[in-house]
Amino acid sequence: MSTGIPSFTGDASPYGGGDPYADYRTADFPFTRYADLADRRLGAGVIAANDEFFAERENLLKPEAAEFDPEHFGHKGKIMDGWETRRRRGISAQQPHPTQDDHDWALVRLGAPGVVRGIVVDTAHFRGNYPQAVSVEATSVAGSPSPEELLADDVKWTTLVPRTAVGGHAANGFAVAVEQRFTHLRVNQHPDGGIARLRVYGEVAPDPAWLGVLGTFDLAALENGGQVEDASDRFYSPATNTIQPGRSRKMDDGWETRRRRDKGNDWIRYQLAAESEIRAVEIDTAYLKGNSAGWAALSVAAEGSDEWTEILPRTRLQPDTSHRFVLDSPAVGSRVRIDIYPDGGISRLRLHGSLTEAGTARLTARHQELGG
């Protein structure tokens, strides 16, 4: 963990009424600019846990912030919006406490394999029933392994977060500096307790063999290794939404900027999976009806270059509409910029094409470097 990352320990005060987040402890973590590899929209899942007596493991990956209802009780006790295990006990009256090694665990399948840059273990609303410490391990296993296969003795796990004390009702952030490609995580809480949410921030590392078989695919898609470099505005929603899988299902599932009061315009810069030939473009404004971008233009640049070549001139966009454009000739590059005028938003950007020979070679070399 980086020494610059704020840390929290100890109990939070008992809930005293009012806004339950009023005394929530959090910080700005630099790695949250990356995509969440454990996003359910990418296909992530909590595939197993040794115990989920009070609250089920699937809550860990819910996209929204954890909620707290002080009156919500069930047959097993207080129902929490998170993953909560029962209290561990020792082996006898003479040894009533759990041992140093006792812990609970959950197996998480990442939505897309990738390099992890940071992890947030969120204990929101777990004020006196959070774990004393947490640790996180990762592995890379091809295919779709079962929990039993992942827990086999021959599977190698790499520590991303060593056993570290955490705080209750807090966002506990950990920077990760392991340059490897992983497919699954094992989240451990020592010795027991509850975790509200898990976020795993990083860079998707796609399998070049799979992309090669596909031939033509969405070069900007998050699941294929595309990523957002930067954006002019993230006021209402993150720019990464524009390269998430599937169509937007509601307004905040896209990218929307604040209202401009100057003569400028908003934009997003993307890094494609690798150097590519773009042949067709989709710009979708689904669910953006009174706030969609008025016009859009698209430009492409080479790796490391800021010399932009326009491939789609400024074009009128309609609200709540999918716009499709076939380029007159393939546009070659590894970076793309969309400019919207003057402000507003788009829900998705799709760039259809294929990798160049140089792009395939670079992606293959990177895959090998990461242990893929």
Side-chain angles (χ1 to χ4, degrees):
M1 184 178 68
S2 169
T3 56
I5 302 295
S7 61
F8 308 101
T9 56
D11 295 348
S13 299
Y15 175 63
D19 179 6
Y21 275 105
D23 60 341
Y24 176 67
R25 295 176 287 177
T26 188
D28 291 327
F29 302 116
F31 48 75
T32 57
R33 67 184 180 88
Y34 294 101
D36 181 6
L37 302 179
D39 193 322
R40 284 288 297 166
R41 289 175 293 180
L42 280 175
V46 187
I47 62 174
N50 72 305
D51 186 292
E52 46 188 329
F53 185 86
F54 287 115
E56 58 268 24
R57 64 185 190 263
E58 288 86 356
N59 288 334
L60 282 173
L61 304 188
K62 289 167 70 173
E64 62 275 359
E67 297 181 355
F68 181 71
D69 181 352
E71 303 300 325
H72 196 192
F73 285 85
H75 294 293
K76 294 181 180 180
K78 181 73 183 73
I79 297 175
M80 297 292 289
D81 186 10
W83 169 48
E84 185 180 7
T85 66
R86 73 194 79 196
R87 300 188 187 214
R88 282 184 170 269
R89 297 292 185 247
I91 60 173
S92 68
Q94 289 70 39
Q95 300 179 49
H97 302 103
T99 70
Q100 180 69 11
D101 295 330
D102 284 343
H103 67 278
D104 293 318
W105 53 263
L107 294 178
V108 176
R109 178 189 65 241
L110 297 180
V115 181
V116 179
R117 301 301 184 191
I119 295 173
V120 173
V121 178
D122 189 349
T123 59
H125 315 304
F126 289 93
R127 296 170 174 269
N129 52 345
Y130 59 94
Q132 182 182 36
V134 300
S135 61
V136 182
E137 302 160 281
T139 190
S140 182
V141 179
S144 304
S146 67
E148 293 75 19
E149 290 171 322
L150 288 170
L151 295 172
D153 292 339
D154 60 343
V155 173
K156 177 186 176 183
W157 292 88
T158 300
T159 298
L160 302 187
V161 178
R163 183 169 175 165
T164 306
V166 294
H169 196 43
N172 300 278
F174 306 92
V176 176
V178 180
E179 201 71 12
Q180 293 182 42
R181 178 181 185 268
F182 296 113
T183 60
H184 295 78
L185 300 187
R186 183 163 60 191
V187 180
N188 305 304
Q189 49 177 335
H190 309 266
D192 54 40
I195 298 170
R197 297 289 187 268
L198 176 74
R199 303 292 184 244
V200 183
Y201 297 99
E203 301 172 68
V204 174
D207 181 353
W210 173 254
L211 297 182
V213 170
L214 293 180
T216 296
F217 59 93
D218 182 357
L219 303 159
L222 189 60
E223 59 192 316
N224 294 331
Q227 58 182 301
V228 169
E229 285 186 357
D230 200 2
S232 60
D233 189 291
R234 298 178 174 88
F235 190 82
Y236 287 114
S237 46
T240 302
N241 280 352
T242 61
I243 53 175
Q244 288 281 4
R247 293 201 72 199
S248 174
R249 296 187 177 184
K250 51 194 177 75
M251 190 174 70
D252 67 351
D253 192 21
W255 172 61
E256 182 189 0
T257 72
R258 74 192 82 192
R259 300 188 188 210
R260 276 191 171 267
R261 302 307 187 198
D262 58 20
K263 300 301 181 182
N265 73 283
D266 289 314
W267 50 265
I268 305 175
R269 290 200 308 265
Y270 301 90
Q271 181 76 43
L272 304 183
E275 185 184 78
S276 309
E277 288 188 350
I278 306 167
R279 294 188 287 274
V281 174
E282 289 183 71
I283 303 174
D284 195 352
T285 58
Y287 292 97
L288 295 162
K289 298 181 178 181
N291 51 352
S292 66
W295 293 261
L298 210 65
S299 303
V300 67
E303 180 73 29
S305 171
D306 283 318
E307 294 185 11
W308 297 94
T309 301
E310 188 175 77
I311 60 173
L312 182 70
R314 194 179 303 189
T315 302
R316 188 75 169 94
L317 299 181
Q318 299 300 320
D320 195 28
T321 301
S322 180
H323 310 75
R324 293 181 173 180
F325 309 95
V326 176
L327 302 185
D328 293 335
S329 59
V332 177
S334 59
R335 303 174 68 215
V336 167
R337 172 178 170 137
I338 187 168
D339 286 274
I340 64 169
Y341 300 89
D343 55 24
I346 61 172
S347 62
R348 295 290 189 269
L349 175 68
R350 305 297 187 207
L351 303 175
H352 302 287
S354 54
L355 300 178
T356 64
E357 288 188 15
T360 299
R362 179 163 186 174
L363 198 63
T364 300
R366 176 66 172 158
H367 190 66
Q368 293 171 348
E369 288 173 6
L370 297 174

